[in-house]
Structures are given as C-alpha cells and as structure tokens.
Amino acid sequence: MINYNEIEKKWQDYWDKNESFKAVNNSSKKPYYILVEFPYPSGAGLHVGHVRSYTAHDAMARMRRMQGENVLFPMGWDAFGAPAEQYAIKNHVHPKQAVAENIKTFKGQMKKMGFSFDWSREFSTTDPDYYKWTQWQFLQFYKNGMAYKDTIPVNWCPTCKSVLSNEDAAGGVCERCGSKVQQKEKSQWMLRMSDYAEDLLKGLDDTNFADRVKLGQINWIGKSEGVEVDVDIVGGGKFSIFTTCIETIYGITFFVIAPDGKLIKELMPRVENKDEVLAYIEETANKSAMDRTELNKGKTGVEVKGIKAINPVNGKEVPIYLGDFVLGDYGTGAVMAVPAHDQRDYEYAKEHNLEIIKVIESGDISSHAVEKGEYLEDKKAVLVNSGEFDGLSVKDAKEAITKMLEEKNIGRRVNNYKMRDWIFSRQRFWGEPIPMIYCDKCGWQPMKEEDLPLLLPDVAEYEPTDNGESPLAKIDEWVNTKCPKCGGAAKRETDTMPNWAGSSWYFLRFMDPHNTNEFASMDAMKYWNRVDWYNGGMEHTARHLLYARFWVQFLYNIGLVPHKEMIWTRVSHGMILGPDGLKMSKSKGNVINPDDIVREYGADTLRVYEMFIGDYQQDAAWSEDSLRGCRKFIDRIVRMKDIITDSNKYTNEVLANKTIKKVENDILSLKYNTAISSLMIMLNEYDKQEEVTKADYSLLLTLLNPFAPHITEELNEQIGNKPICESSWPKYDESKIVEDTISIGVQVNGKVRGTVDINVDDSEEVIKEKAMNEENVKKHIEGKEIVKVIVIKGRIVNIVVK
RNA sequence: GCGGGUAUGGCGGAAUUGGCAGACGCGCUAGACUUAGGAUCUAGUGCCGCAAGGCUUGCAGGUUCAACUCCUGUUACCCGCACCA
C-alpha cells in the first residue's frame, strides 16, 4: 500500500533543500508575478477555500517555471486586526504571540499542501521591518497634504464603552452585547481619497481586470455628473443644491436639506420652529446608527418655518424642509425637490401634502413613467411648464438650462462621487501606530522618518478605555514624548491604522522584501514590472482593490513606483461551500478541515479534487464522493507504472499534442476542471492502448505535475527521469493535432439524423455526397424537396427539406 | 430599489464561443474476479416509449438552415451597495 503522506514529505523536503521555487531579482529570464491574496492567519487554520485558490495559482506558477519563466509566487501574512486583539484581551498575552502561533499553523499547513511559494520572501504586516514602511508611507501622505484630521461620527457602544466597526454594529446593535449603538463624534485621520476619484476611474483602462471587477470599482466610486445651482433665500442669504436632472428645475415645489448638514446650523437663528427642528436633528443623529433598511418605509421630515427659498429660474417662492433622505456629506447637503419626476421627492410630497408640478410630458401622456422619473428612456418626452424651454427634448433642455445658469453665473457643472475620503483611524491596539505627535505649541507634527518604526509597546493589557480611545492611550510612557519640532512635551497619536493599510502595498514589498533602505527599490519594481496576475475573493474586489490602487497611484505621483497601476489582471475565485451547499461555518458544523483530508487521502488528491470541483470562479459544494473519485484517478496512474514499456515514442501523437495544448491553455485561462478532465481522458485512452510507453507515461506525469506535484515527481523518479520541476514543459505541435478523418453530424431540418466520417481534404461536394447517402438520413429526405444543403467544414451538415 | 452573478440528467459539472447538448467525475444497474468488498476490472446509464419515434439546457416568445450560446419579456436563488439628489 502506497503511503502518500510519506512521498509528499519527501518531495516537500527536496524542494526546500534545493530552493526549487526561488524567484531571483534581475534574472535574465522573463519575470512573471503571480499573487494570491495573503491570508489573515486566524486561529481556525487554513480553510479549504484557501487551498482552492492557492492550488490553482500554484499550478500556474509551476507550469510557467517549467516554461522557463522567472516566477514570483510569494506568500505572507495580513496579521493586524481585531481577532488577534480579542484573543490577547482574553488571554492576557501580547497579540504578536497569538499571531506567531497562527502563522506557524498556517505555514505548516501550506507546506503540507506542497505550494511552490518562495518562502524566502515571507513577511507579516505586523513585522516592524514591514510596518515601518507602512508608517513611512503614511508620513508621505501627510507631507503631501493627503492626510488630515476631521471630526467624524463613529459607532459607539455605551455598554462595552467601545468603538465599533460598521460590521460589528450591523443592525444598529452591538454585536457583542446587543446594546443599541450610538453615534459619537471623534477626531480622526483621513486620507484624501476622493481627490483620486477620477484617476481611479481612468486607471481602470490600464488594467486587465475582468469586467465584473471593473464594474465593482466603478460602482463604488459612484460618479454622477450634474449641476450645482445657487438658490437665494427670501430676505437674504443663499445656499446651493446639486442635481443630475437640471431639466426639471421648473418643477421645484420645495427644497430639502440634510438634518446632519452644516446648512441647517447656519440657518438656525432665523428658524421659527426651533424646537421642532432641533428635535428632528436629534432624532436623525440617533437613527443614522441604526440599520436604515428598517426605517426606509416613510419619508420623515419637518418644515423649516420662517425661511423660504426662491426658485432661481422662475422666482417662485417655495418652502424648505428637513429630511433625512438627504445626506449631509454628499453633494451640497441640499436638494431641489421635484416631486413630479423623482421617486423620493414624490414620496416626500405625498407624506407632507406638498404641491406637484409636472414639467415633462411623455409621448404617452397617460404614462405613469413620467411621475416615476423614467422619462429619460422616452425619446418623445418634452418639457412643459418650463417657460422658454417648453417643447425641448429632455436632452436638449439639460444642455440649454445648464448653459443659461452658467451664463447667469448661478450654476456650474459638477461631478459628485459616492466614494468618500478614507477614514484612516481605528481606536484599537493591534494596528500600525500612526506616527504623528501632538504638541500644544506646534500642533500636529509628523515623526522624524529616521525614528521609524514606531513600535507597539509590549504590555499585557489591551482593554479599550472608557471614553473610546485606543488602548494605547492608557500607556503613559508610550504616549508621552517630545515634539519633533520644538522639543517640548508632546503626546503621540494613539489611534492605529485600519487593516486595509498593510494590505494596500504588500505586493510591492514582495518584489524586494529585505530592503532596509526603501520599501522596495525602483530597480526591483522595474524588473518585476507589476503584478501580472492577482487572485482574491470576490468580497475584496471593491474595497481592498480600490484602496490598493489609490495607495499605488499616490506613490506613483510622488515618484516612488514605476506605474500608476501596479496590478494588471485581477481574478476572483468562487467559494467552497459545505456539503450542504451552505457557506462553511463552525455554527453550522459543515466545516471541512484540509488537514483531515490530507491525512486520509493525501495532498495531491485534495489538490486535484479542488481543481476538478467545478468552474474556478463559481461557488462549489464539497463532496466527499467526488474527492474519492480523484483519489481513484491517482491510484490508477500509480498502478499504470508497472505496465509501461521502454519506448520513448508517444503511442498516440494526436492525443499527446492535443492534451498538452488543452492542459496548457486551461491553466492559463482558469479552466482547471477541464484540464483535469482532459488528463482523465488521456489516462482512459492509455488504458485502451496495446501498450503504454515510457514517453506516454512521462508526459502524463508532467502534465499532471502542476496539480499533483508530489506523486508525479515520485513516479517520475521511479522510472528514472530527472525531477519534473527541473525539466521543461512539453511543447505541442499544432500540425500533429489535426486528425485525418473525423466524424461529423448530419442534420435534416436541424435535427441530427446520422453521422458520417470525412477526410480533412474532402471537398464540400464529397461531404455533401456522403451525407446524403447516410442510411438514416436517406430515410428522412426521401420523397422530399431539398431546399438547400449547408456544409460547415469539419463541423456539421444540415439538409433543409420541404 | 440599484448593480452583479447563476439556472443544463439522480448529483458536481462540459460544450471548440452560433454547429452532433450531456465531455469528465460521482452515483446507480448488470456482470467478472473474490472467503469478503465501501478494492479492482468489463458493459450500460438524460427523459418518455416494447418499438418506430418523440421530448429535453428555469419559463414564454423572437432571430437563424442551425440557439445552452444572440435578442425581448419573465421567474427563482445567491452576492454586493443600499434614500448618493
């Protein structure tokens, strides 16, 4: 009985000893950088989902290496974050201890899977040698005016006395204790990401991301083009509104302003119903913490009495309302309300009994679409009740009215983005300390670069403070320092960076991981050029990717990286679901532990199975039965070794060349499942052959090697070949793939009635002839008029009869 | 509500991008070998039908000699964002 685990260990040691997968900077070979998202090393250990994407890209890396490329396939750890901190609080150990243990587990598991990572480049985001550069880069953001402090509400749990992330505050309830979450104002570091909105959109053209990934980025950025218009207040003063539907401006019957915005604060002295207004503002402040879905039913709000605004195009005086559907931090925090043509305005007007004026008449006058604001689709829609613009189409009116407002100097074209600046502070211990110092005299000062890294202190208590400060705030000897400018007493920033920070540039560090002078040298980055192929989960295609691209674009703008986009192709894998078809989770008890599978079936079987499980980019449910099928496949290959003959010729050239081509192309296009299936077909064909030659067998082993590297190396050694990982990938000969005779289907009126064998050089006439004489076909065309015969060479014949 | 994805035998899934639907694997059926089989090998296996034949890619239409594939409408499930003016 063959012991797979023993063989696996043997070859893993061999690869380690020989540094088989080491990527060499500045090698003359063609560089190719394959990156899989580095994992958060949780206590749960490696997940079968990790195994899927790592195996897939391991296969790609192994094949490309055999094809003579210098493949960079690195691995590291994204280890800052809440779980390690929670663990530390509970067990009174430093989180770095917990992280070290988890990394050890993960790494051991990965080694057992035989992934061909270049372990010499390994690092963790929590290594001071690494986060020194994360801090250094933050200082560059600061020095270039890209980091600033602002007061931002945070989710606050009054029971736990802790700041919560949006995830932990889902539903407006603290995930841990169930208390109602409040909003609390905190001064936080922000990065001016919104300045990059346009560049982040444009940059997508310089990437090869899948369309669905690009769309995710575009939607997240959320650009809308519109017009900002100044609105005068009766009795003096003015404010601005933003609209994307300027053509409806004559239909304004009221304005709505955000209860959480600055405008209402300015207007307060003139408000007649102050109590009512203040109460609504208060109500909104509490509400915004709650899950909005629950409150989405009605359009609440109050009138701001005593203040009327003037429609800038027709002088009409209309009331102003507060409404929480208007957001303080988007656009100008105020909107013109045109209830006839906007769903939300319509609902609001109905709720508060406000006037509705129709300003667009659709081609279909009775159409409800007009009220729903769908007139843009309707090419016949024209303006009415709009003074000089009556009769214009929506498109023309948009332009004409914008021009008129521009000329009067009360309107301007503006783009707005949903994407906001990046809130960069976290009130947590286990993150990169933000290297800023506050001095009463000099204000905020950046640390001196030569003093980096600013290390996290070694203490044993990480409980949050009562007032929502980071646990670091309690550690006086750490907080108290000297001002880098005046040398006087000063205090350190106690907030730390978000988890997203360290993962925004790690792919650059892999290019030059041991550099002590720079985060990565320009030379190294120019050699590797960019990440050629980046794989990660679908859940990261929006935010992580956007943060990373923003970070890189900034570094590019200050001359520190060679390209504005450092990631070329981005692909995402589907999830591995439990045997029940549901997402694996401890509570559901449907978690599959890769260690168990490796022990029972071997790493190669697990690898082959996960590649065979289905479309790589699609979710797939675990099946132990299918897993066994893959083990059977490997067992059959092992048994075949005993019957091979000495010949170094392929028994079937067509099969050999066809399979090389298929496996190679499939690996390059993420179609791993069909690559495996073509190897199964190859094995089946070998079984039917009179003999299986050494050449046949070696080829099968080589083609399977990227998926099942251990057993193939072992068998390959046993038949006296040199290691596959030191050999080259076979080249296929296109001319040998073409078969002389093929069988094609013959249809009558689109229905297949038979098959005929044709030669490649048969003329259309000959093929037609053969088709018409096929027994069953004859039966179906007998006595009927032949309208036409379609012959698609090498594919099909279709005879149309009446 | 908006955006994205998915839908094919008993199951996981293929289909050269408009050209023989169901590759490959699992499962199942029968047989061989066997003291035994959750091992191995052989044959069969979309559905209905004794058969000729008919039907079949969520559903309803359309384009085409030909549609899983393209177009229109529709349903269900999954994921992301959620009042973005």
Side-chain angles (χ1 to χ4, degrees):
Chain A
M1 186 59 190
I2 186 162
N3 185 331
Y4 285 100
N5 288 333
E6 229 166 67
I7 291 168
E8 284 160 8
K9 180 79 175 56
K10 169 183 162 184
W11 287 97
Q12 284 154 16
D13 290 347
Y14 179 91
W15 298 323
D16 267 351
K17 211 172 72 211
N18 293 279
E19 298 188 316
S20 303
F21 311 123
K22 199 166 171 156
V24 183
N25 278 23
N26 300 318
S27 134
S28 58
K29 289 181 183 175
K30 183 188 164 214
Y32 198 85
Y33 186 175
I34 301 172
L35 181 69
V36 279
E37 276 176 2
F38 61 165
Y40 181 85
S42 73
L46 202 69
H47 187 273
V48 287
H50 292 122
V51 173
R52 186 186 205 184
S53 54
Y54 298 165
T55 304
H57 292 89
D58 187 45
M60 190 181 277
R62 284 173 181 271
M63 183 180 80
R64 283 185 172 275
R65 270 189 218 104
M66 282 192 253
Q67 288 174 326
E69 292 180 4
N70 182 25
V71 175
L72 173 52
F73 186 45
M75 184 42 67
W77 318 101
D78 185 19
F80 273 128
E85 183 169 323
Q86 296 302 329
Y87 180 88
I89 291 172
K90 232 167 130 191
N91 300 294
H92 303 283
V93 295
H94 198 287
K96 72 184 176 193
Q97 260 180 49
V99 164
E101 279 162 34
N102 290 343
I103 286 178
K104 203 174 152 218
T105 310
F106 264 70
K107 191 171 173 180
Q109 289 177 300
M110 287 182 184
K111 289 233 167 177
K112 276 192 180 164
M113 291 304 306
F115 299 136
S116 66
F117 296 128
D118 176 359
W119 286 108
S120 73
R121 292 175 189 252
E122 173 192 5
F123 61 79
S124 166
T125 52
T126 55
D127 295 342
D129 285 348
Y130 180 82
Y131 73 71
K132 166 183 175 173
W133 295 110
T134 311
Q135 292 172 330
W136 183 85
Q137 287 164 9
F138 176 84
L139 290 182
Q140 308 315 307
F141 276 107
Y142 179 78
K143 288 173 183 174
N144 285 279
M146 290 290 291
Y148 66 98
K149 272 234 151 178
D150 197 10
T151 302
I152 292 290
V154 293
N155 299 309
W156 172 252
C157 172
T159 313
C160 303
K161 297 203 163 99
S162 163
V163 175
L164 304 175
S165 68
N166 283 336
E167 293 79 59
D168 291 339
V173 169
C174 173
E175 201 189 45
R176 241 171 310 152
C177 70
S179 323
K180 215 170 122 182
V181 174
Q182 295 175 348
Q183 294 298 102
K184 194 171 162 155
E185 302 263 296
K186 269 212 110 264
S187 167
Q188 316 220 45
W189 287 102
M190 310 281 290
L191 295 188
R192 284 189 207 283
M193 193 160 163
S194 54
D195 284 6
Y196 276 64
E198 204 56 46
D199 281 354
L200 288 168
L201 276 178
K202 280 204 206 98
L204 291 171
D205 294 339
D206 300 324
T207 70
N208 186 37
F209 299 169
D211 283 346
R212 65 172 179 175
V213 175
K214 282 192 183 178
L215 253 156
Q217 299 272 295
I218 291 167
N219 288 341
W220 194 272
I221 295 166
K223 177 177 182 172
S224 43
E225 296 173 50
V227 182
E228 207 175 274
V229 185
D230 297 331
V231 178
D232 286 325
I233 295 167
V234 177
K238 62 176 183 175
F239 62 95
S240 305
I241 57 98
F242 173 73
T243 180
T244 53
C245 297
I246 194 66
E247 67 278 6
T248 62
I249 191 165
Y250 283 85
I252 295 175
T253 55
F254 55 101
F255 288 91
V256 186
I257 63 179
D260 57 335
K262 293 194 173 97
L263 179 58
I264 185 63
K265 286 181 187 131
E266 286 165 27
L267 295 176
M268 236 21 228
R270 295 158 69 180
V271 175
E272 282 171 8
N273 55 337
K274 282 199 180 69
D275 290 351
E276 206 184 351
V277 167
L278 284 171
Y280 186 71
I281 292 173
E282 174 73 21
E283 193 187 317
T284 309
N286 288 330
K287 226 197 272 184
S288 61
M290 294 200 204
D291 200 351
R292 284 268 172 86
T293 46
E294 297 299 315
L295 304 153
N296 216 348
K297 283 159 194 154
K299 287 277 178 289
T300 63
V302 294
E303 184 177 357
V304 180
K305 289 189 177 141
I307 304 176
K308 291 246 188 288
I310 302 165
N311 184 333
V313 291
N314 61 11
K316 187 178 158 94
E317 288 183 17
V318 297
I320 298 177
Y321 278 75
L322 278 178
D324 65 5
F325 77 89
V326 178
L327 308 175
D329 61 349
Y330 181 79
T332 60
V335 301
M336 64 180 207
V338 184
H341 306 290
D342 179 277
Q343 185 66 34
R344 285 157 310 170
D345 297 348
Y346 178 78
E347 283 168 23
Y348 196 93
K350 281 281 172 206
E351 187 92 27
H352 301 270
N353 284 317
L354 294 156
E355 192 187 2
I356 298 176
I357 301 175
K358 208 176 201 183
V359 286
I360 290 165
E361 201 71 77
S362 139
D364 172 10
I365 292 175
S366 63
S367 167
H368 188 58
V370 175
E371 282 196 359
K372 291 267 163 112
E374 285 165 11
Y375 57 83
L376 282 172
E377 315 284 302
D378 184 350
K379 293 207 173 74
K380 282 184 234 145
V382 293
L383 267 66
V384 293
N385 296 327
S386 297
E388 58 188 287
F389 301 102
D390 277 1
L392 284 183
S393 74
V394 166
K395 197 173 157 241
D396 293 343
K398 225 179 197 36
E399 186 56 32
I401 294 177
T402 304
K403 272 221 175 92
M404 182 265 283
L405 293 168
E406 281 177 328
E407 274 158 24
K408 285 191 179 169
N409 209 18
I410 53 169
R412 57 228 152 246
R413 292 169 211 260
V414 166
N415 293 327
N416 265 308
Y417 303 89
K418 286 190 208 177
M419 188 181 75
R420 312 294 153 88
D421 282 348
W422 183 357
I423 304 171
F424 204 68
S425 297
R426 297 291 182 276
Q427 292 70 43
R428 301 227 162 246
F429 173 83
W430 192 231
E432 302 89 343
I434 295 174
M436 297 294 294
I437 292 168
Y438 188 78
C439 168
D440 281 337
K441 247 189 283 172
C442 313
W444 282 107
Q445 293 297 323
M447 268 178 75
K448 290 190 179 134
E449 290 181 8
E450 58 266 33
D451 292 341
L452 297 177
L454 170 57
L455 296 174
L456 280 166
D458 280 323
V459 290
E461 294 298 326
Y462 311 99
E463 303 287 348
T465 61
D466 289 351
N467 58 2
E469 298 287 309
S470 147
L472 286 170
K474 283 192 303 195
I475 306 168
D476 288 340
E477 60 275 27
W478 188 85
V479 172
N480 292 318
T481 185
K482 288 200 173 104
C483 172
K485 195 175 176 193
C486 71
K491 285 184 187 300
R492 292 190 191 284
E493 169 63 65
T494 57
D495 284 353
T496 54
M497 299 187 198
N499 219 195
W500 308 102
S503 56
S504 287
W505 71 280
Y506 73 110
F507 42 90
L508 304 175
R509 186 67 177 172
F510 279 137
M511 293 177 173
D512 193 10
H514 308 299
N515 196 327
T516 49
N517 302 317
E518 302 162 275
F519 65 84
S521 78
M522 188 55 96
D523 263 4
M525 286 188 281
K526 277 187 173 156
Y527 172 72
W528 290 109
N529 192 37
R530 52 160 61 103
V531 178
D532 292 289
W533 192 279
Y534 188 24
N535 176 83
M538 205 50 210
E539 69 277 18
H540 290 144
T541 50
R543 297 187 70 183
H544 158 64
L545 202 55
L546 205 57
Y547 288 135
R549 292 181 56 228
F550 162 60
W551 200 283
V552 164
Q553 288 202 353
F554 167 72
L555 292 177
Y556 174 80
N557 287 345
I558 59 170
L560 297 181
V561 297
H563 303 293
K564 203 161 184 173
E565 297 288 341
M566 290 293 288
I567 298 168
W568 177 236
T569 295
R570 164 79 190 198
V571 292
S572 39
H573 54 261
M575 270 186 295
I576 302 255
L577 308 170
D580 50 6
L582 301 169
K583 204 168 157 175
M584 284 189 195
S585 76
K586 252 190 227 156
S587 59
K588 280 185 228 124
N590 60 354
V591 177
I592 304 291
N593 183 344
D595 288 345
D596 299 339
I597 307 298
V598 169
R599 205 176 309 115
E600 196 175 343
Y601 296 91
D604 286 330
T605 295
L606 176 56
R607 292 173 56 120
V608 168
Y609 169 60
E610 291 211 26
M611 293 300 91
F612 189 61
I613 195 168
D615 184 326
Y616 178 70
Q617 309 200 52
Q618 222 69 52
D619 293 353
W622 184 264
S623 154
E624 188 106 4
D625 281 343
S626 284
L627 175 75
R628 259 185 239 120
C630 292
R631 168 63 180 264
K632 206 159 107 184
F633 168 58
I634 289 174
D635 284 342
R636 282 175 66 201
I637 293 173
V638 171
R639 263 182 263 128
M640 185 171 274
K641 195 200 76 186
D642 299 331
I643 59 153
I644 63 166
T645 65
D646 255 348
S647 165
N648 53 7
K649 270 198 163 141
Y650 295 139
T651 311
N652 183 340
E653 285 277 351
V654 175
L655 175 69
N657 285 284
K658 216 159 76 177
T659 310
I660 297 169
K661 182 180 179 182
K662 175 77 179 151
V663 171
E664 182 174 324
N665 289 341
D666 280 356
I667 288 179
L668 295 177
S669 55
L670 300 171
K671 297 166 94 175
Y672 305 103
N673 52 340
T674 51
I676 300 291
S677 113
S678 70
L679 290 168
M680 288 172 168
I681 292 170
M682 180 178 239
L683 180 68
N684 291 345
E685 290 300 318
Y686 282 1
D687 261 341
K688 289 182 208 153
Q689 286 170 192
E690 299 262 303
E691 61 164 358
V692 180
T693 67
K694 186 173 165 183
D696 290 337
Y697 194 61
S698 303
L699 178 64
L700 176 58
L701 295 179
T702 305
L703 295 181
L704 182 62
N705 175 267
F707 303 103
H710 312 89
I711 188 65
T712 51
E713 283 289 11
E714 179 66 19
L715 295 169
N716 183 69
E717 184 186 65
Q718 287 177 13
I719 61 169
N721 291 335
K722 73 166 181 172
I724 298 172
C725 64
E726 288 153 29
S727 311
S728 30
W729 186 256
K731 288 200 169 75
Y732 61 87
D733 182 344
E734 191 79 48
S735 70
K736 287 184 177 150
I737 295 175
V738 191
E739 290 178 79
D740 319 335
T741 57
I742 50 169
S743 103
I744 63 166
V746 182
Q747 302 179 320
V748 177
N749 283 349
K751 282 189 178 143
V752 181
R753 297 300 181 185
T755 22
V756 287
D757 289 336
I758 56 157
N759 296 317
V760 259
D761 43 7
D762 276 352
S763 69
E764 243 178 64
E765 278 312 309
V766 174
I767 297 171
K768 211 183 269 186
E769 189 70 27
K770 283 182 178 173
M772 308 278 265
N773 285 316
E774 207 275 343
E775 279 308 310
N776 197 42
V777 172
K778 260 204 232 162
K779 251 178 17 194
H780 281 90
I781 57 178
E782 214 162 56
K784 293 189 178 143
E785 185 199 336
I786 292 172
V787 181
K788 65 173 154 177
V789 181
I790 293 132
V791 179
I792 308 293
K793 267 209 144 177
R795 297 245 192 271
I796 208 163
V797 178
N798 191 9
I799 303 164
V800 186
V801 297
K802 237 190 329 205

